Amino acid sequence: MLSIAILAACVVSGAVLFLPFLRNRPVWRAMVTPLASIIGSGFLVLGPILAEGYGAWAPVVMALLCLGAWAFGSAIRENIKRIGDDNDDRSGYEMVASAMLALAYVISVAYYLNLFGAFAVQVSPWQSQFAARIVTTAMFLLVLFLGYGRGFTMLERAEYLTVTIKLAIITGLIVGLAWFFYDAGSAGELFVPELHTGGWPAITLAFGLLVTVQGFETSRYLGNSYDAKTRISSMRLAQIVSTLIYVVYVVLLVFAHHVPEGELSETAIIDMMKDVSPILPGLLILAALAAQFSAAVADTGGSGGLLVELSKRRLTAKQGYAVLCLIGIALTWTADVFEIISYASRAFALYYAAQAGIAARHASGARRFAWIALAALGLAIAIFGQSIEG
């Protein structure tokens, strides 16, 4: 019955998302890009990390992560409002911010494709870090090949389909978790997990998880397709929807599911969901693969354009793709997924700090003080953010 309910939830939610009245609404279409970036496979990795590190406090930490993301999003929305529909700010401050974002994109593509490799080997007989790195390297080479052809254009057209599949599967996951949570509560099997990380290490670990709720900043760069008002609304809506999904997911997970003993794996959620329904692991792997590859392609395209702009056209987009892929392959073979998550969080924190600094420069009074404090928080995250030990 539960498997049927999960499949029904996936089918119904997917059908609703494809209804023309929703699909053709400008705000919804504009929301798809940031929502796709926010809820990637980081969504799947985050649950076990929070449960293992923070125990019963995991929902609070999740809410604080989303609150921090909302604050940084507010700074970016302020800058969108100031710039207006031209979406053009060539100031030195904005160029610094663009440089930070280009760096963040380079690392985030490595993060996406390393998660792709980790989840891909789960359906193969070769479940090892070496095999995952081989898959990741192959995907980088595929992305590079597509970047030299017309593959990005083709894949971008499939973005809505990919996002719909992912959100439909997440709906099924929430239904499965809610059913399991209710059954565990009825049987008196809910528990309060212990706190394993406290004090300053708990704070620096949270800093290192910022990348798992990033992606809202993509609304800043949709000026060629949507006006400022639509981009601001789409970012707000994407962050509200993703916050609801994240918090509900973490609450349902941490009080009813024990994290597997031993070293924490980036695919721990797969083992945890085997107890819920036999169909969930396969669905989650499908969602992870679709989400990570599409996100990697999108960020590769974005970073290519930024590198062209920052180099004043000394680099072509194709050369930018090559640089990104070479750095990504180097990261793949020298760092694990959790370290790359931390690096990406730091890079995005620098970008958010720069955006908050730009907002402060154009504000006054209490608002200026608030943006300066937010910029300081971004710098602190970049300096002190730590990775979880696998």
Side-chain angles (χ1 to χ4, degrees), residues 187-237:
E189 296 177 352
L190 295 178
F191 61 93
V192 178
E194 294 181 4
L195 176 70
H196 292 129
T197 306
W200 180 245
I203 295 174
T204 57
L205 174 58
F207 285 172
L209 294 175
L210 177 66
V211 71
T212 57
V213 291
Q214 72 68 219
F216 49 87
E217 75 285 340
T218 53
S219 294
R220 163 73 175 79
Y221 302 95
L222 297 177
N224 292 332
S225 302
Y226 303 100
D227 60 31
K229 183 179 179 180
T230 300
R231 285 181 284 136
I232 289 171
S233 298
S234 70
M235 189 195 296
R236 284 197 185 109
L237 187 57

Side-chain angles (χ1 to χ4, degrees), residues 195-279:
L195 176 70
H196 292 129
T197 306
W200 180 245
I203 295 174
T204 57
L205 174 58
F207 285 172
L209 294 175
L210 177 66
V211 71
T212 57
V213 291
Q214 72 68 219
F216 49 87
E217 75 285 340
T218 53
S219 294
R220 163 73 175 79
Y221 302 95
L222 297 177
N224 292 332
S225 302
Y226 303 100
D227 60 31
K229 183 179 179 180
T230 300
R231 285 181 284 136
I232 289 171
S233 298
S234 70
M235 189 195 296
R236 284 197 185 109
L237 187 57
Q239 288 197 281
I240 290 170
V241 171
S242 61
T243 296
L244 291 173
I245 292 174
Y246 268 118
V247 173
V248 170
Y249 161 62
V250 172
V251 169
L252 294 176
L253 182 74
V254 299
F255 298 108
H257 301 270
H258 292 279
V259 178
E261 295 183 1
E263 290 189 351
L264 187 62
S265 165
E266 60 270 25
T267 58
I269 189 68
I270 301 299
D271 292 329
M272 294 172 72
M273 292 303 98
K274 289 177 181 178
D275 293 336
V276 178
S277 170
I279 67 168

Side-chain angles (χ1 to χ4, degrees), residues 8 17 46 75 80 94 110 140 153 218-219 225 274 285 302 389:
L17 292 173
L46 188 60
I80 293 174
E94 185 61 34
F140 267 115
T153 301
T218 53
S219 294
S225 302
K274 289 177 181 178
I285 290 173
E389 295 297 330

Side-chain angles (χ1 to χ4, degrees), residues 41-102:
S41 287
F43 171 82
L44 301 178
V45 173
L46 188 60
I49 292 176
L50 292 177
E52 169 68 18
Y54 300 101
W57 289 94
V60 176
V61 176
M62 184 73 258
L64 290 174
L65 280 172
C66 292
L67 181 62
W70 179 269
F72 287 120
S74 296
I76 297 174
R77 290 191 289 273
E78 187 76 9
N79 293 330
I80 293 174
K81 183 179 179 180
R82 176 179 54 81
I83 297 168
D85 293 338
D86 289 339
N87 194 42
D88 188 16
D89 185 351
R90 299 292 180 180
S91 67
Y93 298 96
E94 185 61 34
M95 293 301 287
V96 169
S98 295
M100 295 300 98
L101 184 59

